[in-house]
Amino acid sequence: MSGPPDAPTTTSLATGSFILRDLIKDVALSAEGEEGIRITCVEVWENNLYIGTSAGEILHHVYFPPDPNNPSDQPTYILASRSHPPTNQAGDVGIQQILLLPAVGKACILSSNTLTFYSLPELSPAFTELSAPYTRLRPLTCGWVGGIDLDAGEQENPDGVMIMMCLRNKIRLVKVGDEPVKIRDIEFGGCLATVRRGNVACVADARSYALVDVVHRQKIPLFSISSMDDQPAENAGTGMLAEEWSDMSRSGSPAMNSRLGVERGHGRSSSLGVFRSDDDKPSTRYGFDVPASLKQGTPRYPSQERRGSEGGRLGLLSKPLPPPPGESEAQPAPASASNLSLSVTPVPLPKNYVPLKPLIVSPNSSEFLLVTGTAPADPGVGMFVNMDGEVPRGTIEFSSYPEAVVVDGSGIDLAASQIEGEEQEPGYVLAVVRRDDAKAIEIQRWDVDQGEESVKKEWLEVGTAAESQSLGIRSVTMKRELEMPEMSQKLALTSMRLFDKPIESPSAAKRESDELEYIRRLCKVKTNLLLWTGDTVRWIVRNPMVLKLDARLTLGEGEAAVDPQRPLIETVVNDLRGVKSTTELEFFTLSYIRQKAATLLFVELILRTASGIIIFEREIRSTEDILVESELDPRVALIFLPKIREEILQGPDGIWLQGGLKGLIERFLQQNDIGALPDDPSGPFGDNILHLIKRYLLFWRRKKGNPSVTDGAHVFPTVDAALLRVLLLLDSKTRGPATAGSIRAELNGVVDGGVDCFERAIALLEQHKRLFILSRLYQSRKMSGKVLATWRRIIDGEEDLGGEFLDGENEMRRYLGKLRDRRLVEEYGTWLANRNPKLGVQLFADDGSRVTWSPADALHTLRARAPGAVKDYLEHLVFGKKQPQHINELISYYLDIVLNELTSSVESRAMLDATYETYRALRPPKPTYRQFIIDNAVPSEWWHSRLRLLQLLGGNQGAASSYDVLAILTRLQPFEKELVPEMIILNGRQGRHEEAIRLLTHGLGDFDMAISYCLRGGSSIFGTASDAVPREQASRDEQAKLFGFLLHEFLRIEDVGDRMERTGELLERFGGWFDVAYVLSLLPDSWSLEIFSGFLINALRRLVRERSETTMTKALSGAQNLKTSADFIERAQEIGPAVEA
């Protein structure tokens, strides 16, 4: 398990940087089943696995891939051979190293300090036939083999690979190709580890590290392996073979000091001399010769090569090498104890000194990482050294001195500019250290300053304490690409059917197979790190992003039941802020993790809402943000909402989700009854969920038409239906028109913008009784007939819970005026005219409507379909359009209304009588009767019709306005006492002025109107100025005649006071129309002269004025006659006399 360093227990969730994947299990380490045999080293090349054991055996396994046609088949490794390399000495070290040289098809195996060569891949002995004079290569005594140029990698020259063999008192460079060829020897004895970059190798003996230029054979001493060792660094390379160091490290005794500094040898002869030089000549072997520059005693400075001891420091600090071997050593001969011995001055070891294994790795092309410490149980320190022997960066610390160290990743250099397209990867160092009573792998970054707070150590647990005792780790030659099925299962799209049982669908199965195969090609990782413990070998794999982040989400998901922990999930979300994918796999990974995190956070809101908790707005907004960022299929969020989930549409194969997300959803649905969750929009469900889901659905609604949305044919109808339902729930408690920014305004906007679930939207609006919104939905599709039908339902009284259609009839009137469909306008215009005639006829009379009607067409349509509106339309024509030809028909309508009312209602007749009595009781000055009944109008149709009737009867609209007086009189005759003004007008039209004046005087008591009647000659007394057509003024004689009738009627007024007052006023104002003698003959003798004194004075004045006017007229006439006679005489004289024949 990969986890934080302080994790108290091991968990199966791999949240760390590395995970383990089995390579092979239950390895038969012994053919006879012996106990205590352990794995010592492992190598992998192509389909071959080589395992070295402590029994000195090499187990060669061959990889067999799984059957591609059988998904359940697993890859296997089958043991191909079990070989036992020969050794030159006895010992229990077993196989120490397996060094593969794929470029030349060879392998170097070091077993009990004995080096042998084999051919790949079957591990058959190599170099069994060599060129003369040597025909066979025997095993070599060697302490270490390696030193392959790490910079060359797979670019190594296939003609030969140069390796470093660490002998007792020297390092020998050998090029291995078709034959092994010695290149040169470097005087550095007892080498136990080497790592090479180009010409520079970092080497170590039992006590210290050094840098060696393998070309120029120069050395830079570094530092001791143990900080307890005060040996000068310059003494590095004094000589100690691996088995001696092993014995010393196992004993841990300072007594081993006595073994240093003495002449050493080995009991068996080796074939060190069989390697021939590139420039081999019969007399010399170049590998044992010192270069000419050194033979002459002059130092050779390095050339400006990329690798080697270039740079001032390596040349200045390099120490002189020992004198070259004598000429006698130049001839090939078997090595002996005398020519392999090395005498040095003994260096005493400190008290309690425990030897430490030298550990060298190279994290990048310019640095080596060396490990130092004090004791195996004490912390170790990793120090970085560059090619010049300088320390370029800070150290790293290990919990204990490691038993093995590997590095992974080239590291991220924040100071260097990154080349476009170049991908940097974090650099890690993995070390086998002791942790409590067990061994574990400690993981930390080497490319990050250890002082940074973000740097944390991780641990990779490998099993029980007993199992971990045989723990080993190494970096193999070639990187291996591994498939990660768990990644594919999480990222591949799978079908999920909602609300019904899964069914076998060939199309779904085919697509799932294709999706899995497509994702499987992406879900591969490369690694070259191996780990072994017991009889098991495992890969150490960089934990893919998807597995690492998914494990962190799983920790926040809950154990037994889905119970998301918001802080843990939000931490993952925040870690991904601003992270963008650079590869296809990263795109699928980030999409999956963000969608799963969004689902978990949304589920957390659902569970807390079910508990009746009002959630903070910050948490709701953070959930919304991740929902939007993840672009989670809105149908996934709707799955968790009671009732609203009914709006989800899915294809024949369900909805397609990534496998990991599908598993989470199914798990939650199995554990919770969605239908039992609260759904009251006025409670926590509305505050916590509905507003959030509304905004999320609006976000998805804006994505319509985006080609990146898959299954849009089902997604967007679902979005529209669910959004409509959510808005209806949130808007269920309000009434009236929408205000800016309100839920109702949003609802109107959604409907007006059109929806993809048209039929479902109709059903929802009908279900929620939102008829006006339904009409807007129809309008979004230009379905005018449906709009009008829905409005008619509202106007007719069907319940509309929104209460928005306040002025429905006027709204319909305006809407009809905008339509071009004559059929619809006629249908609903006549319906409106039947319901509200005054409003309905406006449509037929409006010249600004899209559909216009001629008066004849309108009257025909109204008479046929809305007879109750004909009168109003005629009023429009007569009073609005000034078309008097329709007056007769309109009068007929008015008569019908008034007479029907008077016939059926005694109260109406009594009301008319009361108006007359009231008016007659008024004292002058008083308004005319017409003005009186207007001011005291009754709000009823028949009263209004009577006023209009009086206006038409008494008006003077010209010849076209003539009406049948006799016919009207006949109809009014039964109500002549109730309809006095009408009788007055009709009598005047018939010329029965005396009767009309009598009714004005005694029936109405409207004396001013009676005077007006006389002045007008008996016409237009109840009309208006706008109705009148100019006509000739009545003659004075006609007026005098009418005034005479009026005088007679005034003298008949019952009330004496009114009689005298009205008569005196009439005579005084209009005395000019009366003959004095006639008037005096009519006036009673008992009346006082004061009553008509004004009349007499005016009459006398008028007589005097007339007499004076007559005299003057006569005088003027006489003068005119004289002038005319004079003019005649003058003219006759001018003409002269004429003689008639």
Short mmCIF file of all heavy atoms in Angstrom, two decimals, residues 86 108 112 189 274 279 354 381 511 724 752 845 1013 1037:
data_model
loop_
_atom_site.label_atom_id
_atom_site.label_comp_id
_atom_site.label_asym_id
_atom_site.label_seq_id
_atom_site.Cartn_x
_atom_site.Cartn_y
_atom_site.Cartn_z
N PRO A 86 28.56 -21.72 -12.79
CA PRO A 86 29.73 -22.20 -12.04
C PRO A 86 30.34 -21.09 -11.20
O PRO A 86 30.18 -19.89 -11.49
CB PRO A 86 30.68 -22.64 -13.15
CG PRO A 86 30.29 -21.81 -14.33
CD PRO A 86 28.80 -21.63 -14.24
N CYS A 108 25.53 -11.12 -18.31
CA CYS A 108 26.61 -11.33 -17.34
C CYS A 108 25.97 -11.72 -16.02
O CYS A 108 25.11 -10.99 -15.50
CB CYS A 108 27.45 -10.08 -17.17
SG CYS A 108 28.15 -9.44 -18.70
N SER A 112 28.38 -15.73 -6.42
CA SER A 112 29.46 -15.99 -5.45
C SER A 112 30.78 -15.43 -5.96
O SER A 112 31.82 -16.11 -5.96
CB SER A 112 29.58 -17.50 -5.18
OG SER A 112 28.40 -17.99 -4.58
N GLY A 189 41.03 -0.62 -6.61
CA GLY A 189 40.81 -1.95 -6.06
C GLY A 189 39.60 -2.03 -5.16
O GLY A 189 39.16 -1.06 -4.56
N VAL A 274 42.46 -13.55 -20.99
CA VAL A 274 41.98 -13.98 -22.30
C VAL A 274 41.42 -12.83 -23.12
O VAL A 274 41.22 -12.97 -24.32
CB VAL A 274 40.90 -15.07 -22.14
CG1 VAL A 274 41.46 -16.26 -21.41
CG2 VAL A 274 39.69 -14.51 -21.44
N ASP A 279 43.67 -3.35 -30.34
CA ASP A 279 44.91 -3.22 -31.11
C ASP A 279 45.88 -4.34 -30.76
O ASP A 279 47.08 -4.13 -30.60
CB ASP A 279 45.57 -1.85 -30.86
CG ASP A 279 44.65 -0.71 -31.21
OD1 ASP A 279 43.90 -0.88 -32.21
OD2 ASP A 279 44.66 0.31 -30.50
N VAL A 354 30.45 -0.03 11.87
CA VAL A 354 29.70 -1.06 11.17
C VAL A 354 29.75 -0.72 9.68
O VAL A 354 29.31 0.37 9.29
CB VAL A 354 28.24 -1.14 11.66
CG1 VAL A 354 27.48 -2.20 10.86
CG2 VAL A 354 28.19 -1.45 13.13
N VAL A 381 21.51 9.30 4.69
CA VAL A 381 21.46 10.58 4.00
C VAL A 381 21.84 10.35 2.54
O VAL A 381 22.86 9.73 2.25
CB VAL A 381 22.38 11.62 4.65
CG1 VAL A 381 22.38 12.92 3.84
CG2 VAL A 381 21.99 11.89 6.08
N ARG A 511 -21.01 -2.33 -28.21
CA ARG A 511 -20.40 -1.03 -27.94
C ARG A 511 -19.54 -1.08 -26.69
O ARG A 511 -18.46 -0.48 -26.65
CB ARG A 511 -21.49 0.03 -27.78
CG ARG A 511 -20.91 1.42 -27.50
CD ARG A 511 -21.94 2.49 -27.40
NE ARG A 511 -21.33 3.75 -26.98
CZ ARG A 511 -21.99 4.87 -26.75
NH1 ARG A 511 -23.30 4.90 -26.91
NH2 ARG A 511 -21.36 5.96 -26.36
N LEU A 724 -38.33 22.40 -16.62
CA LEU A 724 -39.70 22.90 -16.57
C LEU A 724 -40.38 22.45 -15.29
O LEU A 724 -41.07 23.23 -14.62
CB LEU A 724 -40.46 22.39 -17.79
CG LEU A 724 -41.82 23.04 -18.08
CD1 LEU A 724 -41.67 24.54 -18.26
CD2 LEU A 724 -42.43 22.42 -19.33
N ASP A 752 -40.55 30.35 -23.68
CA ASP A 752 -40.48 31.18 -24.89
C ASP A 752 -39.33 30.77 -25.80
O ASP A 752 -39.41 30.91 -27.02
CB ASP A 752 -40.34 32.66 -24.52
CG ASP A 752 -41.58 33.19 -23.80
OD1 ASP A 752 -42.62 32.51 -23.85
OD2 ASP A 752 -41.49 34.26 -23.18
N ALA A 845 -63.35 46.72 -36.53
CA ALA A 845 -63.34 48.13 -36.92
C ALA A 845 -61.93 48.71 -37.02
O ALA A 845 -61.77 49.84 -37.50
CB ALA A 845 -64.14 48.94 -35.90
N TYR A 1013 -86.11 75.28 -29.05
CA TYR A 1013 -86.90 74.64 -30.11
C TYR A 1013 -87.47 75.67 -31.07
O TYR A 1013 -87.46 75.48 -32.29
CB TYR A 1013 -88.02 73.83 -29.46
CG TYR A 1013 -88.89 73.08 -30.42
CD1 TYR A 1013 -88.54 71.79 -30.84
CD2 TYR A 1013 -90.06 73.63 -30.92
CE1 TYR A 1013 -89.34 71.10 -31.72
CE2 TYR A 1013 -90.87 72.94 -31.81
CZ TYR A 1013 -90.50 71.66 -32.20
OH TYR A 1013 -91.30 70.97 -33.08
N ASP A 1037 -90.54 84.59 -39.49
CA ASP A 1037 -91.98 84.34 -39.38
C ASP A 1037 -92.25 82.98 -38.74
O ASP A 1037 -93.16 82.83 -37.92
CB ASP A 1037 -92.62 84.41 -40.77
CG ASP A 1037 -92.60 85.83 -41.35
OD1 ASP A 1037 -92.45 86.77 -40.55
OD2 ASP A 1037 -92.70 85.96 -42.58
#
